[in-house]
Amino acid sequence: MEPVTQQLELLGKTVAKVSDEQARVGETLFRARCRTFGTPPPVASANRRVWGTLAAVTAATALAAGVWIYVRSRPPAMSPIVTYQLAGNSTAAAPSFFETKHNDLEVRFSEGSVITVLPETGVRVLDTKPQGVNLSIERGIVRCNIRHRANTDWTVKAGPFDIRVTGTRFEAEWVPTTSHFELTLEEGSVEVTGPHVSGTQRVVKGERFTVEVNRGEKSLVGLGLVPAPSAQVTSVELPVAQPDIAEPIVRSATVDWSTLAKAGKYREALSIVDRLGFDVVLQRSDAATARLLADASRMGGKPKQAQQAFLFLRERLHVKAETAFVLGKISADQLNTPAQAYRWFDTYLREQPKGPLREQALGRSLELSKYAPRNQLLANAREYLTAFPSGAHAPLARKTLGQTTDAR
Amino acid sequence: MLIDDAGVAHAEIVPLPAKRTDAELVDGLRRHLPWAQQLLFERYGAFVERSVRRVLGTDYHVDLADVIHDVFIAAFSSAHTLRNAEAISSWIRSVATHTACNTIRRRKSRAWLRFFSPDELPEPPQSTATDAKEAHDRTYRLLSHLPVDERVAFALRFIEGMELLEVAEACRVSLATIKRRIARAERSFLAGAKTDPVLAHWLERGDRWNP
């Protein structure tokens, strides 16, 4: 293979790795899923309701006689399935989807687990395996009583959330129209992954975990206690008028722009900040909050506000060095003020001569050579080659010294 | 349907469902069945996300969720072109690639409306930029200046690491065409990388770098 091809492949692997580390796959897929399948699954037509009623009556009769029945499952057009018993090694049957209208529906599985599907709920069995089932709550509420055994392995999906179950009783709800997720543990514990959940969220007996995905809010409370907002709620509190919500779901009036910002939803976060007043939010911020606001402004395409926030950090909160470096990047990359950019990189180098961003600050300074005093330019080039002889900007440093020496 | 001696109908007894095979999925897609469309998303959503992200890179004015939605809508409407179950992943990848190309072309045609040029897009979260991240950002910045066909071929070949035949299938061209396209992309990329100190460094020292 040509050496240059090999080098391109190595570069490509680096790029892919960085891309994968930065990606928020779960949230992206959740939003894509909502856009693609925005409407709930179709309800059975009038003709099929007759069949559904007959099947329900039949099943009730069979149940009364102590007979467990299996019902052939078909695509959503078929009547709701009444009861199941999971066969350990079932083959050649179709996945099942069922939904309820006015009554509960109990579904029993051969390994002893039972789920109760409450009214107005749609459930899909995605997959079966010897140790458990993958179930999807498409909408509504399901009560699960999953039998614990040594190798129990159930996954209950509720919208974009995955609940990993090894044996417990809980109730899970997913409302796709409002992106509301709620999980109440009655026995045992589960682990939850999904939007606004860092890593996994463990929920134990007696706790209720709620996530309002669209608002970026979550809470974990003990049952019977007054719900409190999650720890990430911002320090800025203002009343929020929500006339379109008939039943208030949010348990706090706190506006949580910071949670949106931490989730990477910069534009949404900044629109809330705009309503609150950027200056007001900034003035009330501690260093961490001001830094979050500054980064959100930079990533959300508001470099002037970002600059203001970083200047606030420096001048009012005395956060030096790195703020100078980032101000340099904002000036160079977003505001197109290279002279100012050079001054900020130079400031960083004076405030933290041996700092972690030294190589990059020196390198960026060399790139902005025409804004640097001659002596400083030469000094930076020499310093770069001494400290980072194999660095990314080493060729530029050598060229700087060569050109300057020849010209003078 | 089972009918007992008394003439009462009972539901047929069958074991619970096993996993759908790809053949069943293809059949369901061709018949535009909702369960098949949802299953396609569940099985290939992450694959599509990665495919479009490889091509589109760090273009923050593009909402990946919108592009993924477009991919699946296009897939649902072109399911009749799916030849067989073995071809599902290459088929969905070609739909994703084609959709990503269209996204790039639409953005280029509206570029004059934007205040930011692609070079001035805000950067991803980390304020402490690493060498690797710089290389990532500058690679996509450079790729954004290449013609769409070359950019896509380069991204699939070198960033996604696909073989030439796979790239040709994804781009819906012949092997000979994709070889020529990749060769042009390489030349353009290397010419641009020479003037970028970070990329030039990566390409010179690539053999010493260990990801």
Side-chain angles (χ1 to χ4, degrees):
Chain A
M1 184 186 294
E2 295 274 348
V4 70
T5 305
Q6 216 168 16
Q7 287 153 11
L8 285 173
E9 286 185 350
L10 287 172
L11 174 64
K13 279 185 188 166
T14 302
V15 170
K17 185 167 180 265
V18 171
S19 172
D20 290 341
E21 283 166 0
Q22 288 177 166
R24 290 186 292 270
V25 180
E27 289 196 28
T28 302
L29 287 177
F30 163 64
R31 289 189 294 116
R33 189 188 289 114
C34 287
R35 283 168 211 185
T36 307
F37 305 104
T39 54
V43 180
S45 71
N47 287 340
R48 297 185 207 114
R49 264 187 234 121
V50 172
W51 170 249
T53 304
L54 177 60
V57 168
T58 307
T61 308
L63 275 174
V67 174
W68 293 119
I69 69 168
Y70 300 88
V71 176
R72 177 184 294 281
S73 65
R74 293 187 209 169
M78 280 300 296
S79 53
I81 295 168
V82 178
T83 55
Y84 293 85
Q85 187 164 351
L86 179 61
N89 295 301
S90 59
T91 56
S96 67
F97 166 79
F98 46 90
E99 58 181 352
T100 54
K101 288 298 284 181
H102 305 296
N103 301 311
D104 290 358
L105 176 66
E106 192 174 81
V107 184
R108 292 178 174 260
F109 294 86
S110 60
E111 34 79 284
S113 300
V114 179
I115 68 170
T116 304
V117 183
L118 271 60
E120 301 290 338
T121 296
V123 172
R124 187 183 301 276
V125 178
L126 296 174
D127 210 346
T128 58
K129 46 198 176 190
Q131 304 89 355
V133 174
N134 288 345
L135 200 74
S136 172
I137 304 172
E138 311 258 312
R139 62 186 173 93
I141 305 173
V142 176
R143 283 199 202 108
C144 300
N145 186 353
I146 310 300
R147 185 178 161 194
H148 175 72
R149 292 192 294 186
N151 57 354
T152 297
D153 181 18
W154 275 64
T155 300
V156 176
K157 296 170 76 70
F161 294 89
D162 283 353
I163 308 166
R164 185 146 183 283
V165 184
T166 55
T168 185
R169 274 203 329 266
F170 62 93
E171 182 175 289
E173 178 182 7
W174 171 246
V175 182
T177 49
T178 57
S179 298
H180 166 78
F181 169 74
E182 189 165 299
L183 174 69
T184 306
L185 258 289
E186 296 169 23
E187 195 68 47
S189 67
V190 298
E191 289 179 347
V192 182
T193 57
H196 306 301
V197 176
S198 307
T200 60
Q201 173 70 54
R202 190 152 180 266
V203 186
V204 302
K205 175 183 174 181
E207 289 184 335
R208 174 172 292 141
F209 181 58
T210 308
V211 183
E212 303 296 343
V213 178
N214 290 344
R215 280 193 274 257
E217 293 166 357
K218 65 179 181 182
S219 67
L220 180 67
V221 299
L223 290 174
L225 300 177
V226 174
S230 68
Q232 283 106 345
V233 166
T234 181
S235 59
V236 178
E237 297 190 8
L238 279 177
V240 178
Q242 297 181 14
D244 294 330
I245 296 179
E247 200 175 76
I249 299 170
V250 175
R251 295 176 175 86
S252 162
T254 303
V255 178
D256 201 358
W257 68 265
S258 64
T259 301
L260 288 170
K262 285 174 190 170
K265 297 181 178 176
Y266 305 117
R267 289 201 171 96
E268 291 98 319
L270 291 175
S271 74
I272 293 176
V273 170
D274 283 345
R275 286 208 308 273
L276 300 172
F278 181 85
D279 290 340
V280 170
V281 173
L282 185 60
Q283 294 297 326
R284 294 185 190 187
S285 296
D286 57 15
T289 308
R291 182 56 195 263
L292 182 63
L293 180 59
D295 285 334
S297 299
R298 199 161 75 94
M299 307 315 158
K302 297 203 172 184
K304 286 278 189 189
Q305 283 185 348
Q307 188 181 54
Q308 184 183 346
F310 277 109
L311 287 171
F312 176 84
L313 274 163
R314 287 184 61 81
E315 289 158 13
R316 296 282 295 277
L317 301 176
H318 310 293
V319 179
K320 304 289 185 184
E322 194 192 338
T323 49
F325 180 85
V326 183
L327 280 162
K329 285 173 75 73
I330 292 171
S331 298
D333 301 338
Q334 292 178 267
L335 294 176
N336 197 23
T337 51
Q340 203 173 46
Y342 172 80
R343 284 197 291 277
W344 280 119
F345 291 127
D346 186 59
T347 300
Y348 171 82
L349 290 166
R350 281 186 282 106
E351 289 178 352
Q352 202 167 25
K354 304 291 182 190
L357 300 168
R358 179 185 174 205
E359 181 184 355
Q360 293 176 63
L362 283 170
R364 295 299 295 261
S365 299
L366 293 175
E367 288 180 11
L368 299 163
S369 59
K370 68 178 183 181
Y371 303 98
R374 176 190 164 210
N375 290 346
Q376 192 60 56
L377 178 66
L378 293 175
N380 285 352
R382 285 190 205 103
E383 182 182 345
Y384 191 97
L385 285 175
T386 304
F388 312 105
S390 306
H393 290 83
L396 180 59
R398 280 188 210 100
K399 189 178 172 186
T400 301
L401 289 171
Q403 279 178 345
T404 307
T405 304
D406 289 343
R408 298 164 199 184
Chain B
M1 179 65 63
L2 299 179
I3 309 292
D4 67 14
D5 292 338
V8 177
H10 297 277
E12 186 177 354
I13 299 174
V14 295
L16 247 197
K19 203 170 171 181
R20 290 269 197 199
T21 63
D22 280 351
E24 288 171 315
L25 176 58
V26 168
D27 182 59
L29 287 171
R30 284 196 183 128
R31 294 194 282 145
H32 303 287
L33 298 178
W35 68 259
Q37 294 174 343
Q38 297 216 7
L39 188 56
L40 183 72
F41 190 99
E42 293 300 325
R43 284 197 186 165
Y44 291 96
F47 178 74
V48 166
E49 188 275 342
R50 197 181 76 236
S51 298
V52 298
R53 178 160 42 86
R54 290 286 187 260
V55 171
L56 296 172
T58 55
D59 190 338
Y60 289 97
H61 290 290
V62 171
D63 186 342
L64 272 188
D66 271 343
V67 181
I68 295 168
H69 159 82
D70 290 345
V71 170
F72 279 96
I73 295 304
F76 297 156
S77 63
S78 64
H80 59 281
T81 66
L82 189 46
R83 292 184 304 278
N84 53 54
E86 289 76 33
I88 286 186
S89 55
S90 58
W91 166 74
I92 194 74
R93 172 174 265 151
S94 77
V95 176
T97 303
H98 187 67
T99 305
C101 284
N102 288 342
T103 303
I104 295 169
R105 288 191 181 101
R106 276 199 304 271
R107 278 200 36 77
K108 280 185 181 254
S109 72
R110 293 198 294 263
W112 64 275
L113 288 174
R114 295 201 308 272
F115 293 106
F116 285 118
S117 80
D119 297 316
E120 295 176 26
L121 287 169
E123 291 173 21
Q126 301 155 12
S127 63
T128 306
T130 62
D131 272 354
K133 215 190 72 56
E134 278 291 330
H136 167 276
D137 292 351
R138 292 182 186 226
T139 294
Y140 277 110
R141 204 170 297 163
L142 184 50
L143 284 177
S144 71
H145 294 297
L146 266 59
V148 176
D149 292 344
E150 290 176 23
R151 167 182 175 171
V152 171
F154 185 98
L156 294 180
R157 170 72 183 90
F158 292 110
I159 301 176
E160 181 63 354
M162 288 163 62
E163 297 297 329
L164 289 174
L165 197 54
E166 290 175 317
V167 179
E169 278 179 2
C171 296
R172 301 175 183 171
V173 296
S174 67
L175 184 59
T177 300
I178 209 65
K179 279 181 179 175
R180 284 194 297 272
R181 212 175 267 182
I182 288 174
R184 284 199 304 272
E186 270 191 42
R187 283 196 297 274
S188 303
F189 186 88
L190 290 170
K194 272 186 196 167
T195 64
D196 183 302
V198 173
L199 290 180
H201 165 71
W202 274 97
L203 293 172
E204 279 171 18
R205 298 309 212 188
D207 57 336
R208 291 193 191 180
W209 161 70
N210 181 9

